Amino acid sequence: MAHLIFEYSANLAADGDIPGLLRKANHVLIDSGLFPVGGIRSRALRLDEYCVADGDHDDAFVHATVKIGAGRSPQAVKDTANALFDMMKQHFAVQFDQRYLALSLELSEFPEAGTLKHNNIHKRYAKK
């Protein structure tokens, strides 16, 4: 299980390529080999109401929340967070150079006892 939620300021909608960000994020997780492909989910929430810093400028932000199932080593968790954050920095490099932009990421693990799942997507990948 790996779920990614990107919250982003609406002023990035025109040039932030949010669909591309979601695809890249999924591929970072797939390429890690740590997560079943059928359990990876990403989504983005455009925020039209927000205030960054003192609110006097057209500042932008993207905050990623990554939720994974427990059971991976601390180093694997750290490596996953770093790989995702590096991808975010690369994805938004042009915007970072052209405007004020804050990027952040938090990763949390769910204990197995705290999650319920019902998913038949895994079947598709078991056939490969």
Side-chain angles (χ1 to χ4, degrees):
M1 174 186 135
H3 288 231
L4 296 95
I5 303 163
F6 292 94
E7 297 171 272
Y8 69 98
S9 54
N11 55 1
L12 288 173
D15 66 347
D17 185 19
I18 302 304
L21 174 69
L22 298 176
R23 285 189 301 277
K24 288 176 187 177
N26 279 22
H27 282 284
V28 167
L29 296 175
I30 291 166
D31 293 346
S32 76
L34 296 171
F35 305 94
V37 176
I40 297 171
R41 316 269 186 284
S42 63
R43 58 242 187 224
L45 303 171
R46 174 184 159 152
L47 301 172
D48 291 312
E49 297 179 21
Y50 59 90
C51 183
V52 178
D54 62 9
D56 287 343
H57 301 282
D58 190 32
D59 299 333
F61 73 90
V62 179
H63 177 73
T65 302
V66 185
K67 300 176 182 184
I68 64 173
R72 291 162 186 90
S73 73
Q75 187 62 51
V77 171
K78 182 178 178 180
D79 291 347
T80 298
N82 286 334
L84 285 167
F85 197 59
D86 287 345
M87 178 278 301
M88 287 175 65
K89 290 189 292 186
Q90 290 173 5
H91 183 83
F92 290 106
V94 170
Q95 291 81 1
F96 196 86
D97 287 341
Q98 295 176 348
R99 65 176 319 137
Y100 291 105
L101 172 61
L103 301 175
S104 57
L105 180 143
E106 65 178 298
L107 189 147
S108 60
E109 291 180 278
F110 282 111
E112 281 302 313
T115 61
L116 303 171
K117 302 173 201 130
H118 185 66
N119 177 353
N120 67 1
I121 298 171
H122 293 290
K123 283 191 229 179
R124 183 172 62 238
Y125 295 97
K127 296 176 184 178
K128 290 184 177 183

